[in-house]
Amino acid sequence: MRILIIEDEVTLNKTLAEGLKEFGYQSDVVETLKDGEYYLDIRNYDLVLTDWMLPDGNAVDIIPDIKTKTPKTVIVVLSARDDNESEIEALRAGADDYIRKPFDFDVLVARLEARLRFGGSNIIEIDDLIINPEEEKIIYRDKEIELKGKPFEVLTHLARHRDQIVSKEQLLDAIWEEPELVTPNVIEVAINQIRQKMDKPLGITTIETVRRRGYRFCFPKEA
Amino acid sequence: MRILIIEDEVTLNKTLAEGLKEFGYQSDVVETLKDGEYYLDIRNYDLVLTDWMLPDGNAVDIIPDIKTKTPKTVIVVLSARDDNESEIEALRAGADDYIRKPFDFDVLVARLEARLRFGGSNIIEIDDLIINPEEEKIIYRDKEIELKGKPFEVLTHLARHRDQIVSKEQLLDAIWEEPELVTPNVIEVAINQIRQKMDKPLGITTIETVRRRGYRFCFPKEA
DNA sequence: TCTTCGATGATGAGAATACGCATTGATTGT
DNA sequence: ACAATCAATGCGTATTCTCATCATCGAAGA
């Protein structure tokens, strides 16, 4: 496993390289986008871990390039800023994950490994809506939506099966530990929560109900 | 779609019936060959899912019978044994598929469905008319038709048996949970709905009534 | 061939039912 | 005590069924 680290804070990139080595990853470190591109040309990387803002530009400038040349390379963006816009921008450009500084190193490794194992990203991105199951976080047009727990999981599951009818039973099976111990009514409650906290304040429709058959995530809504 | 399950392990046959229901199949469950034969006599099944060894005999004893009486009924045999001989025997007798226990439920469903829709997809596409049973959606010349619930199911069933006369009893058996509890008049009502909401606005004829015998889906209509 | 009549299907209206929604209060675990 | 989750409830609406009536078909007889 070979990782390219593009990061201009020297203390941080040393820590990263050393830390990752202990977990069995070989990594190369560069401090500018230019150097990064150079390395990407001469070597194949399984993963690129790059800062968002760099002295000679922005990570977004090279992400699409990487994704077209070597689509399998996983890209993870680090950002110092608590800035939703850049997260959206990064993901849209093709990044697979987005991690905010400061971060716990073990968490970072866990997420990198999850990405590597999985191949792609867990993050669901539809239109201006971003659902990040790992962080249990939803962002719509730069604003975070307060939706946690079961309702969040229901939304996530439905979003993953976009445009398909998902029955209540399927939702129970997928999300609840012991589906037989709860009534399907809990789904309705969860759906209600979603509509109260997402659809209503944002003036959008994410989930439509298909009588007798279940629910369907359809967003953005066709006319 | 109606399925007969012949299986003597109670936990298994419950799982099967419930699981299949979620996939949109109506199933009856019996635990012996004798009962199985009885049900086969009074009802039409699209598929028979039977255990190989049963308390009162072997599935091979009834397979040829089913295949002569109702050749279209698909027969799938389940066997607890890791036994090639019985598989050969079952297939030779006329079974359409053979699945070994233990099995993954999703695999089972996939195989059943593969058997049921002769290799193609579930979507019925005739001329400019598209019927999608999964999404409960009808499209004619790029326009969606509002037809849901029972009338939708009736239409679907008839379309699946294009050009064949389907009796009201067959429709009841195939679509209603307890056909004996409703009058056959409900079919007429459903047919009426279809004609009001599809044929009339679109200026087409999809279902013709064959007096005393049933209904026949014949579209597009030959001159 | 025409007419009549019984049987079968079509249709519309209203009743019965099933389903989903929203709210509430209880329960659980932190 | 607080937050999350769930069961229970009543309510409104969409669907489904029944029933009563009307139309149509087709066979039998004139």
Side-chain angles (χ1 to χ4, degrees):
Chain A
M1 286 291 178
R2 186 164 279 276
I3 296 176
L4 177 64
I5 298 171
I6 312 178
E7 166 61 65
D8 59 316
E9 272 181 49
V10 260
T11 52
L12 176 58
N13 64 26
K14 260 192 198 134
T15 314
L16 285 171
E18 282 167 18
L20 288 170
K21 186 162 189 179
E22 286 185 19
F23 280 87
Y25 298 99
Q26 217 21 277
S27 46
D28 297 330
V29 179
V30 298
E31 294 172 25
T32 63
L33 282 178
K34 203 155 151 281
D35 291 344
E37 285 185 293
Y38 173 68
Y39 271 74
L40 282 161
D41 271 339
I42 57 169
R43 262 199 184 146
N44 277 328
Y45 293 94
D46 301 290
L47 189 144
V48 176
L49 181 61
T50 178
D51 195 11
W52 179 241
M53 293 295 289
L54 286 152
D56 60 338
N58 193 292
V60 75
D61 297 329
I62 62 164
I63 293 175
D65 242 25
I66 304 173
K67 275 293 173 184
T68 42
K69 281 187 193 155
T70 54
K72 277 185 196 158
T73 301
V74 174
I75 301 175
V76 177
V77 172
L78 288 174
S79 171
R81 287 198 283 160
D82 185 29
D83 172 6
N84 291 327
E85 264 180 67
S86 52
E87 174 167 358
I88 294 169
E89 206 181 337
L91 294 173
R92 186 160 295 157
D96 297 292
D97 204 352
Y98 187 96
I99 300 175
R100 289 185 164 77
K101 301 183 202 171
F103 50 81
D104 179 78
F105 189 76
D106 289 330
V107 171
L108 176 91
V109 173
R111 284 173 73 166
L112 295 189
E113 292 192 324
R115 285 288 81 85
L116 286 168
R117 221 172 321 137
F118 228 149
S121 168
N122 263 329
I123 296 170
I124 303 162
E125 195 197 340
I126 301 167
D127 208 58
D128 285 337
L129 181 67
I130 295 173
I131 302 174
N132 186 338
E134 247 133 276
E135 297 192 343
E136 198 172 59
K137 193 157 145 191
I138 301 171
I139 296 171
Y140 181 73
R141 292 203 215 274
D142 298 348
K143 281 185 59 180
E144 189 173 344
I145 310 305
E146 277 304 322
L147 195 69
K148 309 267 181 232
K150 289 280 194 285
F152 180 90
E153 293 189 68
V154 169
L155 178 71
T156 303
H157 191 266
L158 285 168
R160 281 223 173 83
H161 298 76
R162 180 137 82 120
D163 293 331
Q164 289 180 19
I165 298 176
V166 183
S167 72
K168 290 178 194 171
E169 287 70 25
Q170 288 174 318
L171 283 167
L172 284 176
D173 283 349
I175 296 169
W176 271 261
E177 296 267 345
E178 292 159 304
E180 52 283 340
L181 297 186
V182 297
T183 76
N185 176 247
V186 295
I187 304 279
E188 291 162 17
V189 175
I191 297 277
N192 187 29
Q193 279 280 320
I194 295 169
R195 302 219 251 235
Q196 295 297 323
K197 294 195 169 170
M198 284 216 17
D199 296 27
K200 215 151 100 181
L202 298 177
I204 59 176
T205 302
T206 55
I207 297 168
E208 77 182 11
T209 111
V210 182
R211 208 150 215 272
R212 299 191 46 103
R213 313 215 28 205
Y215 296 91
R216 172 201 283 156
F217 186 94
C218 55
F219 176 80
K221 183 99 182 143
E222 332 137 14
Chain B
M1 284 292 175
R2 191 165 274 277
I3 296 177
L4 177 64
I5 298 171
I6 311 176
E7 164 65 61
D8 56 321
E9 275 179 47
V10 257
T11 53
L12 177 57
N13 65 26
K14 263 197 196 126
T15 312
L16 285 171
E18 283 169 11
L20 288 170
K21 183 159 191 183
E22 289 191 13
F23 281 86
Y25 299 96
Q26 262 319 319
S27 45
D28 297 327
V29 177
V30 299
E31 297 180 21
T32 63
L33 283 178
K34 200 155 152 283
D35 291 345
E37 286 184 292
Y38 172 71
Y39 270 73
L40 282 160
D41 267 336
I42 57 168
R43 259 192 188 157
N44 276 328
Y45 293 96
D46 302 289
L47 191 144
V48 177
L49 183 60
T50 177
D51 198 4
W52 180 240
M53 292 294 291
L54 286 152
D56 60 338
N58 193 292
V60 75
D61 297 326
I62 63 165
I63 293 175
D65 241 26
I66 303 173
K67 276 292 171 183
T68 42
K69 281 188 194 154
T70 53
K72 278 188 194 154
T73 301
V74 174
I75 301 174
V76 176
V77 173
L78 288 174
S79 171
R81 287 198 284 164
D82 184 31
D83 175 9
N84 291 326
E85 268 181 55
S86 54
E87 173 166 359
I88 294 169
E89 202 181 341
L91 294 175
R92 189 161 294 161
D96 297 290
D97 207 345
Y98 185 95
I99 299 175
R100 290 187 162 77
K101 300 183 203 170
F103 51 80
D104 178 78
F105 189 76
D106 286 331
V107 171
L108 176 90
V109 173
R111 284 173 74 168
L112 296 188
E113 288 189 325
R115 289 292 100 160
L116 282 170
R117 50 164 205 231
F118 332 155
S121 98
N122 263 331
I123 297 170
I124 303 163
E125 198 188 339
I126 302 167
D127 208 58
D128 285 335
L129 181 66
I130 296 170
I131 302 174
N132 187 339
E134 242 127 280
E135 300 195 347
E136 199 171 59
K137 200 158 150 189
I138 300 172
I139 295 173
Y140 182 72
R141 292 203 214 275
D142 295 344
K143 279 185 59 181
E144 189 173 344
I145 310 304
E146 278 303 324
L147 195 69
K148 309 251 182 261
K150 287 279 194 285
F152 179 91
E153 294 189 66
V154 170
L155 178 71
T156 304
H157 190 265
L158 286 167
R160 280 221 175 86
H161 298 77
R162 177 136 84 119
D163 294 330
Q164 291 179 19
I165 299 176
V166 183
S167 72
K168 291 177 194 169
E169 287 69 28
Q170 287 175 316
L171 284 167
L172 283 177
D173 281 350
I175 296 168
W176 269 259
E177 299 248 355
E178 291 157 305
E180 48 283 340
L181 296 186
V182 297
T183 78
N185 179 243
V186 294
I187 305 280
E188 290 157 16
V189 174
I191 297 276
N192 188 30
Q193 278 280 319
I194 295 169
R195 289 181 173 149
Q196 297 296 323
K197 293 197 169 168
M198 283 213 23
D199 297 27
K200 216 151 100 181
L202 297 178
I204 58 177
T205 302
T206 55
I207 297 167
E208 75 181 14
T209 109
V210 183
R211 209 146 220 273
R212 308 226 59 219
R213 317 215 27 217
Y215 295 91
R216 173 201 286 154
F217 186 93
C218 55
F219 175 81
K221 184 100 181 141
E222 325 134 21

